[in-house]
């Protein structure tokens, strides 16, 4: 599973999901230009977050679209549980 976190790296709501996705090795940031209104574009509203907010998360096949950082974190944690457990064993 690969996820894309849509947002800005300076947003406190984006940082948590992005850190977990990167730590688990399953995600990346897709910058969203708020000043240009990218989060209100028809493409963003239809394919990422229906309410036009950040963060938004999509999976690699486009079947999963979510918003709200806590919901994204819970889904990522559940999906990456085994990956994170393996990486933390060496700590």
């Amino acid at each position: 599973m690969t996820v894309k976190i849509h947002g800005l790296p300076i947003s406190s709501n984006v940082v948590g999901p992005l850190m977990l996705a990167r730590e688990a090795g399953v995600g990346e940031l897709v910058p969203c230009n708020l000043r240009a209104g990218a989060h209100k574009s028809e493409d963003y509203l239809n394919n990422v977050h229906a309410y036009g907010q950040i963060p938004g998360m999509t999976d690699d096949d486009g079947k999963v679209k979510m918003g709200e950082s806590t919901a994204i974190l819970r889904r990522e944690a559940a999906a990456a549980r085994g990956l994170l457990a393996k990486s933390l064993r060496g700590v």
Side-chain angles (χ1 to χ4, degrees), residues 47 58-65:
N47 298 313
T58 57
D59 64 354
D60 50 359
D61 59 7
K63 290 183 180 178
V64 177
K65 300 178 268 189

Side-chain angles (χ1 to χ4, degrees), residues 23-55:
E23 180 65 28
V26 297
E28 62 185 19
L29 176 68
V30 176
C32 183
N33 189 343
L34 300 182
R35 293 184 116 190
H39 62 302
K40 300 297 183 183
S41 71
E42 192 170 326
D43 181 55
Y44 189 88
L45 295 171
N46 290 332
N47 298 313
V48 181
H49 194 302
Y51 297 121
Q53 299 174 345
I54 62 168

Side-chain angles (χ1 to χ4, degrees), residues 1-90:
M1 172 187 83
T2 303
V3 297
K4 295 177 182 172
I5 307 297
H6 301 259
L8 296 171
I10 60 169
S11 167
S12 60
N13 291 323
V14 172
V15 170
L18 181 59
M19 287 176 61
L20 179 56
R22 286 192 173 170
E23 180 65 28
V26 297
E28 62 185 19
L29 176 68
V30 176
C32 183
N33 189 343
L34 300 182
R35 293 184 116 190
H39 62 302
K40 300 297 183 183
S41 71
E42 192 170 326
D43 181 55
Y44 189 88
L45 295 171
N46 290 332
N47 298 313
V48 181
H49 194 302
Y51 297 121
Q53 299 174 345
I54 62 168
M57 184 202 82
T58 57
D59 64 354
D60 50 359
D61 59 7
K63 290 183 180 178
V64 177
K65 300 178 268 189
M66 324 181 60
E68 303 300 327
S69 58
T70 304
I72 295 169
L73 281 166
R74 290 178 64 125
R75 185 182 189 284
E76 286 180 346
R81 187 176 327 170
L83 296 172
L84 290 173
K86 288 178 187 175
S87 70
L88 292 175
R89 285 187 191 131

